[in-house]
Amino acid sequence: MKLNVALKAVIAVVCGVSLLSCNKSNNYKNTSRATGWDINSDEGGFQYNTDYKEQEAAPGLVFVEGGTYTMGRVQDDPMHDWNNTPTQQHVQSFYMDETEVTNKMYLEYLDWLRRVFPPSEENYKNIYNGALPDTLVWRNRLGYNETMVTNYLRHPAYAEYPVVGVSWIQAVEFSKWRTDRVNEHRLEDEGFIKEGAHLTDVDASSTFNTETYIHTPSKAYGGNTEISQGGDESQDRLSETNEAGNPVKKVYPGRESGLIYPEYRLPTEAEWEYAALGLVGIRNYNTYRGRKKYPWDGQYTRNGDVKKMGDQLANFKQGDGDYGGIAGWSDDGADITAEVKTYEPNDYGLYDMAGNVAEWVADVYRPIVDDEFNDFNYYRGNVYTKHEITEDGTVKVVGTDDIVYDTLSNGKLVARNLPGEIAQVPVTEEDTYMRTNFNESDQRDYRDGDKSSSRYYQPFQEVEEDPSKRMYNSPTYDNFTYADSSAEGGITERGYDKEKRTTLVSDEVRVYKGGSWRDRAYWLDPAQRRYFPQDMATDYIGFRNAMSRVGSKSLDNNKSARSN
């Protein structure tokens, strides 16, 4: 009897070891779970980065773990705007700039544009000029602010102050540029691009663009035509032979390499508000200790800690003619904007999510957030495009003679695309045929401004559209007439919208969030929302970037903390 028991024990141990070794050998890291074939074999076949851990925070960004929250829950509503109804929303994890984009960061962008697209050349002058912030926003008919007009953007005294005078359109273009420069830098560090090439090999006809590098690397600056010395040769995209007939590897890491960062972009309104609230700081064993009015704990704008008792927690206007308080102890340390990181961050490590400057977010403004249709990653402003394909079946890369300029309502010209980018075209009815999730390229009006949601919609008869009967009767500037952008002077005529309008709300008006140095404490509530034309700028609106999180919701150390 005892022998049988002992034998069973031995068999169990042997079987256990066998199963363990079997599971260990079949962990499928470098073996296909689908076919059993080897992955990343030296002989060739399917190549994939199986050593990828998780997304690293890109330069300037901090991690914001996503979750659910009540969006639009304002604590006070003395304005009675009725444009904020509390809705329960869920946002995915993402990354966000710890500070606003500063003057020094934006000047780096301008310097790159000036070097690559010299404004002294007629074909490129509007690229640089279109990116320049409007420094005249500081002027006031009854105020002397000329010092800021001439110094705020460029003087080193303001280097770490948030950039202002930037329109929403300019903020978006900066975000695109930043995406390309960060990915260019990373690929250079990894040995896929020649060291120093971003300074020595770049000109208007040869620039690095992330999407171009991914989709048609042979047309992009940075394509390594020799065997990679510092990069991972397992990420080869092409294999050719040289004049001697020897194989030459072209190394172009794509998304599957894990080296390409997602795009820098403006945060959505839902993301910005969620990040500003910093609810992670009041979580305690899956319960909440209370409601938050500001990005910090408490219901007041002054510090309650003993060592810093009475200090202001943000830069805002405290009253009529009072932009900082009485000089000395009561002062908040700033009369206009303040240097970034002057005040304490919120619980996500984000600075100035209340006060200093208000900030552009990605969303088109509408008075109502449509949670009945969507309560996950809410965003209004989608315009879907696709790569333009040439007759030979390849993507069209914008050349130096293909630059297209948009004319803004104020007459300013802004480049719609830059050389080296892949040309974009709207998706068509053929692309959306039988789709249930979207049916056209421009979705900004969906359920609030499109024909089917307008009270003037007549589904059973065709009528000529009357602009005065649009759902949102906002000003239009289509009556501007311009000469060829290359002609001297450019603009030949300026028109004005003389119709009677009832609102400024349109598809070209964007949300901005947070209070500024010009605002009273009422606007410091992260739930407050305002709007402004996307092609105009002020001295109190800046911006910061966000980046989507790919992969797991939480960082690895957060996972282990919960498991322990």
Side-chain angles (χ1 to χ4, degrees):
M1 187 68 169
K2 292 181 178 180
L3 180 61
N4 290 337
V5 173
L7 183 61
K8 290 179 179 179
V10 171
I11 293 173
V13 171
V14 172
C15 289
V17 172
S18 177
L19 289 173
L20 181 62
S21 62
C22 181
N23 290 336
K24 186 176 181 180
S25 64
N26 288 335
N27 61 9
Y28 297 108
K29 178 179 180 181
N30 287 304
T31 304
S32 169
R33 193 185 299 271
T35 63
W37 291 350
D38 288 341
I39 297 174
N40 300 326
S41 171
D42 292 337
E43 286 74 29
F46 181 52
Q47 306 293 315
Y48 200 79
N49 182 3
T50 56
D51 291 323
Y52 183 81
K53 300 301 181 183
E54 69 174 7
Q55 182 178 352
E56 299 177 7
L61 305 180
V62 296
F63 177 69
V64 178
E65 183 177 348
T68 184
Y69 79 111
T70 304
M71 180 180 178
R73 185 172 62 187
V74 296
Q75 301 292 306
D76 303 300
D77 191 20
M79 302 294 290
H80 298 291
D81 282 340
W82 301 109
N83 71 344
N84 240 343
T85 301
T87 64
Q88 197 70 19
Q89 296 286 337
H90 191 104
V91 297
Q92 282 185 292
S93 298
F94 61 101
Y95 295 85
M96 181 176 273
D97 267 331
E98 63 174 347
T99 72
E100 303 101 338
V101 170
T102 64
N103 285 319
K104 186 168 70 174
M105 293 167 67
Y106 202 87
L107 284 173
E108 185 179 6
Y109 167 51
L110 294 177
D111 177 73
W112 186 90
L113 290 177
R114 181 184 55 79
R115 287 188 291 106
V116 178
F117 304 104
S120 58
E121 298 186 25
E122 188 67 29
N123 196 35
Y124 304 137
K125 69 176 183 179
N126 288 318
I127 294 178
Y128 179 79
N129 293 338
L132 286 172
D134 182 4
T135 59
L136 298 184
V137 294
W138 288 105
R139 282 183 171 165
N140 186 296
R141 295 178 183 86
L142 295 177
Y144 181 76
N145 299 323
E146 294 304 299
T147 301
M148 275 82 81
V149 171
T150 56
N151 289 281
Y152 183 81
L153 174 64
R154 299 185 183 276
H155 197 285
Y158 295 112
E160 297 300 331
Y161 283 58
V163 67
V164 297
V166 175
S167 69
W168 182 92
I169 292 175
Q170 290 173 316
V172 169
E173 292 304 313
F174 171 89
S175 306
K176 295 177 183 177
W177 169 85
R178 188 178 180 186
T179 301
D180 293 336
R181 302 291 74 76
V182 168
N183 281 323
E184 179 183 29
H185 178 261
R186 190 174 194 185
L187 293 176
E188 185 176 315
D189 278 352
E190 295 291 334
F192 292 105
I193 295 177
K194 185 178 70 175
E195 184 177 356
H198 68 285
L199 295 174
T200 60
D201 293 6
V202 174
D203 58 38
S205 61
S206 179
T207 63
F208 177 89
N209 176 266
T210 301
E211 289 299 310
T212 305
Y213 190 87
I214 291 172
H215 290 90
T216 177
S218 61
K219 296 182 180 179
Y221 145 82
N224 191 348
T225 57
E226 299 178 354
I227 296 178
S228 172
Q229 300 298 318
D232 180 2
E233 292 187 20
S234 67
Q235 304 300 326
D236 295 348
R237 285 295 194 83
L238 301 173
S239 182
E240 298 180 354
T241 57
N242 58 21
E243 294 180 357
N246 298 320
V248 176
K249 293 180 178 179
K250 286 192 172 184
V251 185
Y252 301 120
R255 297 196 198 279
E256 67 277 5
S257 69
L259 295 176
I260 306 294
Y261 285 113
E263 65 176 354
Y264 282 85
R265 55 179 175 78
L266 293 181
T268 66
E269 180 180 4
E271 287 175 332
W272 193 98
E273 187 174 327
Y274 176 84
L277 283 170
L279 296 177
V280 66
I282 60 173
R283 293 173 184 166
N284 183 19
Y285 297 104
N286 297 323
T287 62
Y288 293 94
R289 289 190 281 106
R291 296 167 63 181
K292 295 186 71 174
K293 182 175 182 178
Y294 302 114
W296 53 84
D297 286 342
Q299 299 291 309
Y300 305 100
T301 63
R302 292 189 181 272
N303 202 320
D305 294 342
V306 175
K307 293 183 179 180
K308 300 180 180 179
M309 183 73 72
D311 288 354
Q312 288 287 5
L313 294 168
N315 175 22
F316 64 99
K317 182 178 179 179
Q318 300 178 36
D320 291 343
D322 184 357
Y323 288 85
I326 300 173
W329 171 81
S330 180
D331 193 7
D332 66 9
D335 39 25
I336 54 169
T337 57
E339 185 174 348
V340 296
K341 295 189 177 183
T342 296
Y343 306 93
E344 293 296 318
N346 73 355
D347 290 310
Y348 280 123
L350 302 170
Y351 293 86
D352 293 324
M353 295 302 283
N356 214 16
V357 292
E359 299 177 18
W360 290 114
V361 296
D363 294 57
V364 167
Y365 175 80
R366 289 293 187 272
I368 298 174
V369 172
D370 187 0
D371 66 317
E372 292 183 3
F373 182 78
N374 183 46
D375 56 5
F376 180 74
N377 285 346
Y378 185 86
Y379 167 63
R380 178 179 290 279
N382 284 311
V383 179
Y384 301 116
T385 61
K386 62 180 180 179
H387 299 327
E388 183 175 348
I389 306 299
T390 62
E391 293 182 357
D392 62 2
T394 61
V395 294
K396 179 182 178 181
V397 178
V398 177
T400 55
D401 296 327
D402 301 324
I403 306 171
V404 177
Y405 294 92
D406 282 333
T407 304
L408 307 184
S409 61
N410 57 10
K412 196 169 187 178
L413 297 178
V414 174
R416 185 188 303 173
N417 49 32
L418 295 178
E421 296 179 1
I422 297 178
Q424 300 292 306
V425 294
V427 297
T428 63
E429 292 183 1
E430 182 178 347
D431 299 318
T432 63
Y433 177 67
M434 293 297 288
R435 284 194 171 275
T436 58
N437 54 336
F438 72 103
N439 57 5
E440 58 184 10
S441 174
D442 191 342
Q443 298 291 307
R444 292 175 296 178
D445 270 347
Y446 184 64
R447 288 171 60 91
D448 197 348
D450 56 354
K451 286 185 177 180
S452 59
S453 62
S454 170
R455 62 179 179 152
Y456 295 106
Y457 179 55
Q458 297 177 339
F460 301 112
Q461 67 182 80
E462 294 293 330
V463 294
E464 185 176 349
E465 183 178 358
D466 183 354
S468 67
K469 292 187 176 182
R470 290 173 295 150
M471 183 172 181
Y472 291 105
N473 186 24
S474 56
T476 60
Y477 299 94
D478 295 337
N479 51 348
F480 277 84
T481 303
Y482 295 93
D484 184 355
S485 61
S486 62
E488 185 176 356
I491 302 173
T492 59
E493 180 181 343
R494 296 195 181 203
Y496 297 90
D497 188 335
K498 300 180 180 179
E499 299 294 328
K500 293 182 179 179
R501 302 301 182 185
T502 57
T503 180
L504 290 175
V505 177
S506 73
D507 291 343
E508 283 70 46
V509 169
R510 302 285 172 165
V511 178
Y512 68 95
K513 301 280 283 184
S516 74
W517 65 276
R518 279 193 177 276
D519 294 314
R520 301 292 293 268
Y522 161 68
W523 294 108
L524 302 185
D525 187 335
Q528 297 292 353
R529 57 201 304 259
R530 290 174 284 180
Y531 58 93
F532 204 71
Q534 67 181 20
D535 55 3
M536 296 185 183
T538 74
D539 62 354
Y540 59 87
I541 301 180
F543 70 101
R544 73 180 73 208
N545 284 145
M547 178 183 288
S548 298
R549 163 82 173 176
V550 295
S552 62
K553 175 183 178 181
S554 305
L555 298 178
D556 281 347
N557 57 352
N558 289 342
K559 290 180 182 177
S560 60
R562 286 200 301 270
S563 63
N564 292 333

